Amino acid sequence: DQQVKQNSPSLSVQEGRISILNCDYTNSMFDYFLWYKKYPAEGPTFLISISSIKDKNEDGRFTVFLNKSAKHLSLHIVPSQPGDSAVYFCAALGNNDMRFGAGTRLTVKP
Amino acid sequence: DVKVTQSSRYLVKRTGEKVFLECVQDMDHENMFWYRQDPGLGLRLIYFSYDVKMKEKGDIPEGYSVSREKKERFSLILESASTNQTSMYLCASSLFESGANVLTFGAGSRLTVL
């Protein structure tokens, strides 16, 4: 069963615009959430995270929002750049159990 | 720069062959993990280890085994490779600490079983 879902397999945005990647989870035990970014032929790299005690965490162009009541988080990239084109994985952690979503492929067009 | 190194980037094996995937980390991390990545399924945990000679099954351990004889090295073994094990295999490591558990991944090993 997929406890972490990324329902959009792909997303295409124009350079300079906002990219919004979404992630839903089902398990209330998850209390820490992470986003990883993966380029082709490379392993995923950690991008940004958020604890369940917060509803927002910002790091430069990247902001993660958490809505615990809806069991939903999103990653906002503003402004989007062509170098942001990659697959983004959402991950949820609880009780030392980490679950990943299926990933969303972001393409930022120049 | 800290690293997780997977020795084989691309492998092609035949059904029934024994396959070894090696992973080495230089960060003195206690935890090490093996995932496989398949389209539409994301990353699924095969096995993990919290210490030398310790191993725990993940979500999809069937058809796999692991070995951790040294802290820095975690090997994934396919005793008899099958075509449904064609996948991208990712090794990762992390520090043993509560709360945040940020994984550092290797570049991956793409295995094709014919």
Side-chain angles (χ1 to χ4, degrees), chain B residues 49-55 67-71:
Chain B
S49 170
Y50 286 141
D51 202 350
V52 175
K53 295 193 185 295
M54 290 183 63
K55 59 184 179 183
S67 172
R68 192 160 182 205
E69 296 297 318
K70 295 184 177 181
K71 188 176 185 180

Side-chain angles (χ1 to χ4, degrees), chain A residues 37-78:
Chain A
K37 174 179 178 179
K38 185 181 184 300
Y39 292 118
E42 295 182 15
T45 55
F46 170 71
L47 186 59
I48 193 169
S49 62
I50 188 167
S51 165
S52 60
I53 62 173
K54 294 187 174 183
D55 55 17
K56 177 183 175 181
N57 188 26
E58 193 171 350
D59 183 3
R61 296 186 295 113
F62 302 91
T63 303
V64 55
F65 295 92
L66 176 63
N67 183 333
K68 278 175 36 180
S69 60
K71 294 190 177 69
H72 176 83
L73 64 154
S74 60
L75 174 67
H76 293 211
I77 306 173
V78 183

Side-chain angles (χ1 to χ4, degrees), chain B residues 29-45:
Chain B
H29 283 174
E30 290 88 357
N31 306 329
M32 295 190 75
F33 307 81
W34 274 105
Y35 288 87
R36 62 178 282 178
Q37 180 198 352
D38 299 289
L41 297 176
L43 278 67
R44 293 180 293 166
L45 183 63

Side-chain angles (χ1 to χ4, degrees), chain A residues 2 32 34 36 38 41-46 49 87 89 93 96-103, chain B residues 9-10 35 37 40-43 50 59 88 90 97 99-108:
Chain A
Q2 289 226 282
Y32 198 79
L34 308 95
Y36 287 84
K38 185 181 184 300
E42 295 182 15
T45 55
F46 170 71
S49 62
V87 176
F89 290 99
L93 176 67
N96 280 325
D97 183 16
M98 182 177 287
R99 299 284 170 164
F100 285 84
Chain B
R9 294 298 305 273
Y10 301 95
Y35 288 87
Q37 180 198 352
L41 297 176
L43 278 67
Y50 286 141
D59 298 319
M88 169 69 83
L90 292 163
E97 58 187 21
N101 190 9
V102 176
L103 302 177
T104 301
F105 284 89

Side-chain angles (χ1 to χ4, degrees), chain B residues 5-30:
Chain B
T5 304
Q6 295 182 232
S7 55
S8 302
R9 294 298 305 273
Y10 301 95
L11 303 97
V12 179
K13 298 291 182 180
R14 296 204 174 275
T15 300
E17 281 193 81
K18 191 169 186 175
V19 182
F20 291 89
L21 298 179
E22 301 286 340
C23 175
V24 178
Q25 52 97 1
D26 64 2
M27 296 166 281
D28 203 33
H29 283 174
E30 290 88 357

